[in-house]
Amino acid sequence: MTASGTFGYGTEYNHLFDIQKLGAIVCKGTTLKPREGNPQPRIAETACGVLNAIGLQNIGIDALIKEKAPVWAGWKVPVIVNIAGETIDEYTKIAGKLDGVAGVSAIEVNISCPNIKAGGAEFGANPKSAAEVTAAVKEATSLPLLVKLTPNTSDIARVALAVAEAGADAITAINTLKGMAIDVTKRRPLLGNITGGLSGPAIKPVALYMVYEIAATVDLPVIGCGGITNASDAIEFIMAGASAIQVGTVGFTDPQAPLKVLQGIEQFMLNEGIEDITDLIGAARR
Ligand SMILES: Cc1cc2nc3c(=O)[nH]c(=O)nc-3n(C[C@H](O)[C@H](O)[C@H](O)COP(=O)(O)O)c2cc1C
């Protein structure tokens, strides 16, 4: 899958390669009303990673249903809509609007965005509020529910367990790690939002460890995400217990990376004589 916020609505990449070959596309985080996002600059490069503070700039749920879903309905590749809100009521309203919309295959509940003032990662930081959002969204939709967790919490496995008990169908781990950078000549934080979320290869060992922990704790499919740049990275996540993976930041340097990762996994399986990917899921745990 592509990771939310790094592959637009899929439509932007259609002319670059055959996106229908992907496992799934997760679209940009979508809110009840359109959002303009945070002040610039919103992106800063770091050693082995990227800090972003986009602040959920998006077209809003109504425009998504009107303009994007009809395009997706004609696609072979399933599209998962990533949703975010400042209140539980906003999450349920968005989920309710998506129910039964042609072209939408599942919902990914983002309770992990570090770049907005209210909501987002606040919900994902503790098990109780994470469970409350999950249960409310589950009630509002018949679509499969992926819940995306934040690493910015003391015990992600406990949050995962709470979310599983509240009715999640799968868990996506992880979103970005909160961080910052300073412009030494201006003596000011580099990002307009002061803090941002760190992604890319720098976070891979953290993400891998968290997937390993979550897979040991919950009996749900875990979707691994964080710093995957090639098939070998992806296979590490699968061996840690992930049933699927998402590719994000690397797509900014190579838009075809998600497809290359998928093809690389297939090649690895051929080389190793593996017919069924499930033989690899959690292989490092046994
Ligand atoms: C520019 C940018 C925008 C993002 N926007 C979202 C978003 O809207 N919703 C979300 O759940 N995650 C968002 N993310 C987080 C990614 O989906 C992913 O969880 C994270 O970047 C770690 O994966 P990666 O290291 O492969 O990029 C964003 C990441 C980046 C770099």
Side-chain angles (χ1 to χ4, degrees), residues 2-6 26-30 42-43 50-54 56-57 82-84 108-115 148-149 172-177 197-204 207 225-229 246-252:
T2 61
S4 176
T6 64
V26 184
C27 79
K28 174 66 192 166
T30 301
R42 298 169 169 189
I43 296 266
V50 166
L51 277 168
N52 93 82
I54 307 296
L56 287 178
Q57 180 181 8
N82 180 287
I83 67 168
E108 183 176 71
V109 188
N110 174 6
I111 49 169
S112 44
C113 181
N115 301 323
K148 183 164 176 184
L149 302 187
T172 307
I174 57 175
N175 208 314
T176 53
L177 283 138
L198 182 65
S199 63
I203 73 167
K204 196 193 94 183
C225 177
I228 295 173
T229 62
Q246 295 180 353
V247 176
T249 299
V250 67
F252 295 136

